[in-house]
Each structure stands twice: as structure tokens, then as C-alpha cells.
Amino acid sequence: MSPVGNQTRILLVDDHRLFNDGLKSLLNEQADLTVCGQVYQASDVIPTIHSIRPQLLLLDLNLQGINGIDLGKTVISTFPDIKILLLTMYNQPKLLEETQRAGLHGYLLKDSSTNDLLRGIRSVLAGYNHFDPLIAQPTAPPTDPFGDDFARRLTLTFREVEIIGLIREGFSNEQIADRIHLSIETVKTHRKNIHFKLGISKATDLVRFAVQNGL
């Protein structure tokens, strides 16, 4: 994966086209960076990497059908030399922990300043991990659904917490499957896992749990 001149080749993966295009314009103004491709859905990521061989992947956390952490793990297993920096609106220590465990190289908030974004990109390209300092310290209160103690005790994943929140809002399995782009059987499996982890058997108990814990 040799760069073009002194420029690092970057692939943008974000299904919000305005954000994707804005990020492209910003990065292409940098003498040492160039956006070699833009992807708007998860299914196009692996083929595009095969085709254009980027050195850095800027990856959104929320993509249709899969979250960025899981996709990042798949990319790293296939392309171990690529660097992956996750971009998200979620200021959550639990998600940062999952990103680290997955072996991704960085985690930055989408509302970071341009200087912070560029600093994070260049840090990752220099061989360092870069995790947003605003969320690197576990300062979340115990009742925060993504707080470290809470998450470790219940071993809930990001997807499971997301589904609990939708159940609280009254969504059916079919509606949840449509909203987060999973099969109904996958949603049912997640619900079984949630009930097992929480030691409950009724949907009403799950809703009560969600309300008590602010999910």
C-alpha cells in the first residue's frame, strides 16, 4: 500500500452523505492526505478496500445492518495493515472499551474540532492509538447504561443496549428488525441473550429494567 507521493490514502465510510462529502473536502485540503474513496454502506467496504487499497479507514459507528466496531474487526482480520479510526456521536466509555478490545486504532467524536480530527488521524498513521481524551477516562455515573461498572457487571453489548431501548419505546421484534436492519431471528436471539444476562423472563420486567437504568 504505497502512498501517492507523500499523501496517505483514506477511505471514508459513512452513510450520511453530507457528512461524508464534508469530510472529504476537509481532508483533501491537507497536503499529506487524500481521500481515495467514499463508501455509504457496509457491504461495499471490503470490495472497495480490495479495489483501491487505502491506508486508513475513517469508519462511522452506526451503519445499516452492522455497527462499525464489528465491521472494523472484519476489516482488520482481512487487511491487518490498514489503520482504522472510528468516528461517532456517542460519548460513551463502554463503546470506547469495545473499540479498544476489537483492536481498532482510534475513537473520535464527530463534533471534534478540525485540529483534533487531524491530530487523531496523524497520530494513528504514525503508529499510535488515539482515543478521544474527553471520553478516555471512565467518569460515567453507575447508572449510565454505558458506564464501565454497569456494562462489565451485566456484559451487555452495544447492540443489546440499543434493542432494550427500542423495546422500552414499544417496538415489536419486526419493527426493531426493520429499524436496525437485522433479521427477525437475530433480534429474537438478542432478546433471549438479554433476558438470560438480566435474569428476567417477561417483557414487562425488561421495560421496568430499562426505565430504572435510563436505557
Side-chain angles (χ1 to χ4, degrees):
M1 295 192 300
S2 60
V4 177
N6 293 321
Q7 292 182 314
T8 296
R9 295 167 56 80
I10 300 175
L11 175 63
L12 305 181
V13 183
D14 196 300
D15 56 4
H16 293 87
R17 290 179 178 265
L18 285 176
F19 180 83
N20 201 321
D21 289 344
L23 197 55
K24 177 182 177 180
S25 296
L26 185 155
L27 295 177
N28 279 342
E29 292 176 354
Q30 308 302 310
D32 57 332
L33 306 173
T34 184
V35 174
C36 61
Q38 294 173 269
V39 170
Y40 306 99
Q41 56 188 18
S43 60
D44 292 333
V45 171
I46 298 297
T48 302
I49 294 175
H50 271 296
S51 174
I52 66 177
R53 296 290 175 168
Q55 296 160 279
L56 173 68
L57 197 65
L58 291 186
L59 178 60
D60 187 19
L61 175 64
N62 283 332
L63 294 167
Q64 292 186 359
I66 188 172
N67 69 66
I69 296 172
D70 290 338
L71 178 58
K73 287 192 290 188
T74 299
V75 169
I76 286 176
S77 68
T78 309
F79 306 94
D81 293 334
I82 200 168
K83 302 292 185 181
I84 299 179
L85 180 56
L86 199 68
L87 297 176
T88 178
M89 290 301 298
Y90 291 106
N91 186 341
Q92 302 291 356
K94 171 59 179 173
L95 293 179
L96 186 144
E97 274 195 4
E98 289 192 23
T99 300
Q100 292 171 323
R101 285 200 300 269
L104 308 190
H105 305 94
Y107 185 106
L108 271 179
L109 296 175
K110 283 187 173 181
D111 59 1
S112 297
S113 68
T114 298
N115 286 339
D116 287 341
L117 172 65
L118 294 175
R119 187 181 302 113
I121 289 173
R122 290 171 177 138
S123 178
V124 167
L125 292 173
Y128 302 99
N129 290 336
H130 186 89
F131 300 102
D132 199 308
L134 294 179
I135 49 180
Q137 299 301 320
T139 57
T143 55
D144 188 326
F146 287 103
D148 294 349
D149 293 339
F150 181 95
R152 284 198 193 99
R153 177 162 52 85
L154 299 177
T155 63
L156 292 171
T157 66
F158 166 69
R159 182 65 80 188
E160 288 166 350
V161 171
E162 183 180 27
I163 289 174
I164 291 173
L166 293 173
I167 293 170
R168 176 189 174 180
E169 293 178 27
F171 286 82
S172 66
N173 286 345
E174 290 78 7
Q175 290 170 324
I176 293 172
D178 181 66
R179 187 178 180 93
I180 61 177
H181 307 284
L182 297 176
S183 71
I184 294 177
E185 289 305 314
T186 299
V187 172
K188 289 180 178 178
T189 297
H190 279 305
R191 291 192 68 155
K192 288 180 182 178
N193 291 337
I194 290 167
H195 281 234
F196 174 77
K197 290 180 179 181
L198 300 182
I200 59 178
S201 58
K202 299 178 182 178
T204 53
D205 292 334
L206 181 58
V207 172
R208 187 179 300 111
F209 170 87
V211 172
Q212 290 173 344
N213 289 279
L215 299 180

